[in-house]
Amino acid sequence: MNILLLEDDLILSAELCRFLESNNFNCDKIYDGETFLRQIKNNTYELYLLDINVPKINGLDVCQTIRSFDKNTPIIIISAYGDISDKKDAFTRLADDYLVKPFQFEELLLRMNSLLRRKAPSDNSDQDILRIDDLIINKTEQKVYRGGNEITLTLKEFQLLVYLAEAQGRTVSKQQITEHVWEHNFNTNTNTVEVYINFLRKKIDKDFKIKLIHTRSGFGYYLSPL
């Protein structure tokens, strides 16, 4: 699992990441809040660790910003501030847990695993949730998220995206798309499918390094992070 750490103490940051990596986590470390928020736009993480007193944007404001577009990813505050008012401020901004420095790394690990166990059932076990890399499609609510940001789609764009996602990386032809998404309600010689694929690319892929929508020349389209 991928963890993103916001901590400006270089020694603590390095030691904590080494500990997490020895326990089978991937840990990226960031030293200021502004860079941290840029980092999460194009990358997917399963948990965030936030110190409060960091440069540029403090950890509490980072937490609040994350929660404005991502309600689910666990957030643990790690801070030298131990007053009840500090903890209240963190939980008011929807942090999931709060650990006062200095702390034992093993205790942090226990808290992380507890949060991740609680989060796991809501990710992929629900058949109405489709996930491809950092793209999440909620079929029930007809909502789409990428990198934690909600993406607004028209009904046909949503239906096309769901059809591509449910193919699980297999290439689907233009003919198959017209049958399942448009039910042959237009001439297959038109470029309607191509137009809608381009609409999706602009909304799903344009602002991300990893492209998910691909063309297999002469065969059709597929959805995959590879």
Side-chain angles (χ1 to χ4, degrees):
M1 288 189 175
N2 297 314
I3 308 298
L4 187 58
L5 168 66
L6 176 60
E7 172 59 70
D8 65 335
D9 183 323
L10 301 185
I11 295 176
L12 176 59
S13 179
E15 289 179 349
L16 186 49
C17 272
R18 279 197 298 269
F19 172 78
L20 293 175
E21 288 166 356
S22 71
N23 284 276
N24 300 315
F25 289 96
N26 297 317
C27 181
D28 292 338
K29 47 187 181 294
I30 301 293
Y31 307 114
D32 70 84
E34 188 176 287
T35 304
F36 187 97
L37 291 174
R38 286 202 303 268
Q39 177 78 2
I40 65 177
K41 285 186 177 180
N42 294 323
N43 298 275
T44 302
Y45 295 94
E46 279 68 44
L47 187 143
Y48 301 120
L49 299 173
L50 309 179
D51 186 14
I52 294 178
N53 189 21
V54 295
K56 296 185 179 179
I57 302 176
N58 71 59
L60 292 179
D61 289 341
V62 168
C63 179
Q64 186 171 352
T65 299
I66 292 172
R67 286 295 181 243
S68 70
F69 61 81
D70 179 356
K71 307 298 183 186
N72 298 317
T73 303
I75 297 174
I76 300 178
I77 302 295
I78 51 172
S79 174
Y81 302 146
D83 291 344
I84 190 64
S85 59
D86 297 311
K87 296 178 181 180
K88 182 179 179 180
D89 199 3
F91 287 118
T92 298
R93 300 183 195 221
L94 302 182
D96 295 285
D97 205 346
Y98 194 110
L99 199 54
V100 179
K101 299 176 183 177
F103 54 83
Q104 294 186 16
F105 287 0
E106 288 289 346
E107 181 180 357
L108 174 62
L109 183 63
L110 290 172
R111 296 187 184 211
M112 289 172 56
N113 285 331
S114 176
L115 287 171
L116 290 168
R117 280 195 302 271
R118 274 183 265 162
K119 175 179 180 288
S122 66
D123 282 347
N124 287 324
S125 59
D126 190 338
Q127 62 182 352
D128 289 327
I129 302 294
L130 301 172
R131 181 187 287 270
I132 298 91
D133 197 64
D134 61 343
L135 176 70
I136 299 173
I137 304 169
N138 187 319
K139 296 192 325 186
T140 300
E141 298 181 3
Q142 294 191 345
K143 291 186 176 181
V144 176
Y145 303 86
R146 186 158 188 204
N149 297 308
E150 184 172 359
I151 298 171
T152 302
L153 301 179
T154 66
L155 178 59
K156 274 300 175 219
E157 289 169 348
F158 181 80
Q159 291 172 338
L160 174 56
L161 183 65
V162 168
Y163 182 62
L164 290 171
E166 290 182 335
Q168 299 181 333
R170 299 188 305 274
T171 301
V172 291
S173 68
K174 179 179 175 181
Q175 181 69 28
Q176 290 173 310
I177 291 173
T178 59
E179 289 175 1
H180 288 87
V181 179
W182 276 273
E183 299 178 349
H184 285 302
N185 288 330
F186 66 85
N187 187 335
T188 56
N189 291 323
T190 68
N191 67 340
T192 302
V193 172
E194 290 88 340
V195 169
Y196 273 82
I197 288 289
N198 285 332
F199 287 161
L200 281 183
R201 280 182 168 139
K202 288 178 181 177
K203 294 183 177 182
I204 301 297
D205 281 344
K206 182 180 177 182
D207 296 328
F208 296 87
K209 291 185 292 185
I210 297 176
K211 307 305 180 187
L212 300 179
I213 302 171
H214 306 280
T215 301
R216 188 179 175 198
S217 184
F219 293 91
Y221 305 95
Y222 65 97
L223 192 63
S224 172
L226 304 176

